[in-house]
């Protein structure tokens, strides 16, 4: 199997960490408001911007390592590309939530 989907996963991970660290330097408040569908969560700034990124990093790194080791032994391409597609969607969702949270806290989405 091709290894570029694994590299895309790592790229999404690095982008998410860099967004979180950069936005922490832009927003100077001790609490972050995370907007939900009909409610809000008040949370510490590090947890609000890097919490979901840290959780998905802990879950993605072992998966990427497993997929890299087993890439030659997998018989079905659908399993390989399906697992990579799910992780890509999780990282895109994480990036979208980070941007939404930052825009809301900067007052752009009020």
């Amino acid at each position: 199997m091709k290894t570029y989907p694994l590299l895309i996963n790592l790229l999404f991970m690095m982008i998410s960490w860099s967004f979180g660290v950069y936005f922490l330097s832009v927003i100077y408040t001790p609490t972050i408001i995370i907007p939900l569908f009909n409610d809000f969560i008040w949370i510490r700034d590090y947890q609000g911007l890097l919490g979901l990124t840290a959780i998905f990093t802990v879950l993605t790194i072992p998966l990427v390592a497993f997929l890299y080791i087993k890439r030659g032994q997998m018989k079905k391409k659908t399993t390989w590309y399906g697992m990579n597609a799910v992780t890509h969607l999780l990282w895109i969702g994480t990036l979208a939530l980070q941007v939404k949270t930052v825009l809301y806290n900067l007052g752009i989405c009020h």
Side-chain angles (χ1 to χ4, degrees), residues 28-92:
Y28 300 110
T29 81
T31 59
I32 295 289
I33 302 169
I34 298 177
L36 300 175
F37 293 114
N38 59 355
D39 202 9
F40 301 100
I41 297 176
W42 292 70
I43 197 164
R44 299 283 306 158
D45 54 353
Y46 288 97
Q47 293 172 345
L49 292 176
L50 293 176
L52 195 60
T53 302
I55 290 170
F56 284 145
T57 298
V58 168
L59 295 175
T60 303
I61 287 180
L63 180 67
V64 168
F66 173 76
L67 288 174
Y68 183 76
I69 292 169
K70 299 289 184 180
R71 72 184 186 280
Q73 299 170 357
M74 289 190 162
K75 300 291 184 204
K76 294 185 179 181
K77 289 184 180 181
T78 55
T79 304
W80 169 262
Y81 290 112
M83 291 176 78
N84 280 305
V86 168
T87 56
H88 289 169
L89 289 175
L90 286 175
W91 279 109
I92 290 172

